[in-house]
Amino acid sequence: MLNTRFLFLFGVILLGVATYGQNRNLILQKNFFDNKYGKDVLLYVGKIYYPENDIVNGNPLWGEKGIYEGDIVIDGERFENKQLMYNIFSHDFILEFKDFNGAEKQIILAPDKIDSVFIDESIFIKNTISQIDNKFVQLVHDGKILCVLSWEKQKFVKQSTDQKGFYYTNEKSFKYLIYNKVLYSFKNRRELLKIFDKEYRNDIKQYISTNKISIKSINSKQLGQLVNYIEKNVN
């Protein structure tokens, strides 16, 4: 009986020590993240991101580098110089960081808490346009004419009998303008020109030709400059 009581008491002590150690470790980790990333990042974590283990060709990330140093604004508070990735298959932003033990981790940031993201001279904002099926859009021009891009990659099963797994397509952007409170999408020069009255089309066409722009392959910087030109010349 005495041995039974001793073992029970010893077990309670061990459980108390283990619980204290776990709680202390959690407090230390919380303090570490509060000091390093700010309290809001911890509050708005969605879940840990695990890179795919399947046999996959390509990746779901935006941009050539995949991971970029950038800034993110969460509920009005700006966090600078963070390692960020934009998953354009799931349309989530991922933060890479080192945890309390120095191990690299990746977390999916809660999309409903993100106001804007600044990476590689690009600005991404929360999408408020119901006709665009995406959580975020890239802001290209913000003026009398609003121009945004919506990005995506798709994932497919490999069809070859001697290859198993999946592959991601190349990234693809969809171009949108809001002009006179109407949303337009366009893929080429003809569709862009149709948005505006005939009296403005020759000037726009001349600008495109002079600057040797292909609307199908235009980059966001060129597109911003084009929309800025149009805005200044269209009443």
Side-chain angles (χ1 to χ4, degrees):
M1 186 69 174
L2 182 61
N3 288 339
T4 302
R5 290 179 178 176
F6 174 76
L7 289 173
F8 175 76
L9 181 59
F10 182 68
V12 170
I13 292 171
L14 283 178
L15 179 62
V17 170
T19 303
Y20 170 77
Q22 290 174 356
N23 289 340
R24 184 174 182 275
N25 192 46
L26 287 173
I27 292 170
L28 288 173
Q29 289 199 39
K30 182 180 185 302
N31 290 338
F32 171 81
F33 281 113
D34 286 351
N35 292 332
K36 189 170 180 62
Y37 295 108
K39 298 180 187 296
D40 284 354
V41 173
L42 277 180
L43 292 173
Y44 305 144
V45 169
K47 58 183 178 180
I48 296 176
Y49 174 76
Y50 296 99
E52 295 172 287
N53 292 322
D54 298 329
I55 303 171
V56 178
N57 287 351
N59 63 67
L61 304 177
W62 174 85
E64 293 183 2
K65 295 191 295 183
I67 184 167
Y68 295 86
E69 183 176 284
D71 299 351
I72 184 163
V73 180
I74 298 177
D75 276 357
E77 186 171 352
R78 185 163 181 150
F79 299 88
E80 300 180 339
N81 305 319
K82 304 304 177 188
Q83 296 299 307
L84 299 167
M85 294 174 281
Y86 181 24
N87 184 326
I88 56 175
F89 174 69
S90 65
H91 307 294
D92 290 308
F93 282 96
I94 301 162
L95 171 68
E96 184 173 275
F97 62 95
K98 289 186 178 180
D99 68 9
F100 182 71
N101 297 311
E104 286 192 352
K105 296 288 180 64
Q106 296 171 346
I107 52 177
I108 300 171
L109 298 171
D112 59 321
K113 300 297 182 180
I114 296 174
D115 298 321
S116 53
V117 181
F118 301 80
I119 50 177
D120 197 37
E121 299 183 349
S122 299
I123 304 173
F124 296 90
I125 59 173
K126 189 180 298 182
N127 176 34
T128 58
I129 304 170
S130 60
Q131 298 95 320
I132 300 177
D133 185 21
N134 202 333
K135 299 174 190 174
F136 302 97
V137 290
Q138 181 181 350
L139 180 62
V140 176
H141 183 83
D142 186 12
K144 291 188 295 184
I145 301 175
L146 178 71
C147 180
V148 299
L149 297 176
S150 175
W151 290 91
E152 76 166 31
K153 281 185 180 181
Q154 293 182 308
K155 182 181 179 182
F156 295 104
V157 178
K158 294 178 182 176
Q159 299 298 322
S160 175
T161 56
D162 59 343
Q163 290 185 329
K164 296 180 180 180
F166 302 86
Y167 70 93
Y168 284 102
T169 60
N170 293 329
E171 64 184 23
K172 183 178 181 181
S173 66
F174 298 86
K175 306 172 184 67
Y176 298 93
L177 289 181
I178 294 182
Y179 174 59
N180 287 339
K181 299 181 180 180
V182 179
L183 177 68
Y184 300 91
S185 64
F186 61 98
K187 299 176 183 177
N188 51 49
R189 187 178 72 170
R190 180 178 60 83
E191 291 180 357
L192 174 64
L193 293 173
K194 283 179 65 177
I195 296 171
F196 303 99
D197 293 338
K198 291 182 179 180
E199 60 185 291
Y200 304 118
R201 292 177 187 174
N202 284 335
D203 284 342
I204 298 171
K205 192 184 300 184
Q206 183 63 42
Y207 180 92
I208 292 171
S209 177
T210 301
N211 290 277
K212 300 179 181 179
I213 294 172
S214 168
I215 298 299
K216 290 182 179 181
S217 59
I218 193 170
N219 61 44
S220 58
K221 184 177 181 180
Q222 291 174 320
L223 181 57
Q225 292 170 342
L226 171 59
V227 176
N228 184 58
Y229 173 83
I230 294 172
E231 186 177 84
K232 289 180 178 178
N233 291 274
V234 171
N235 295 326

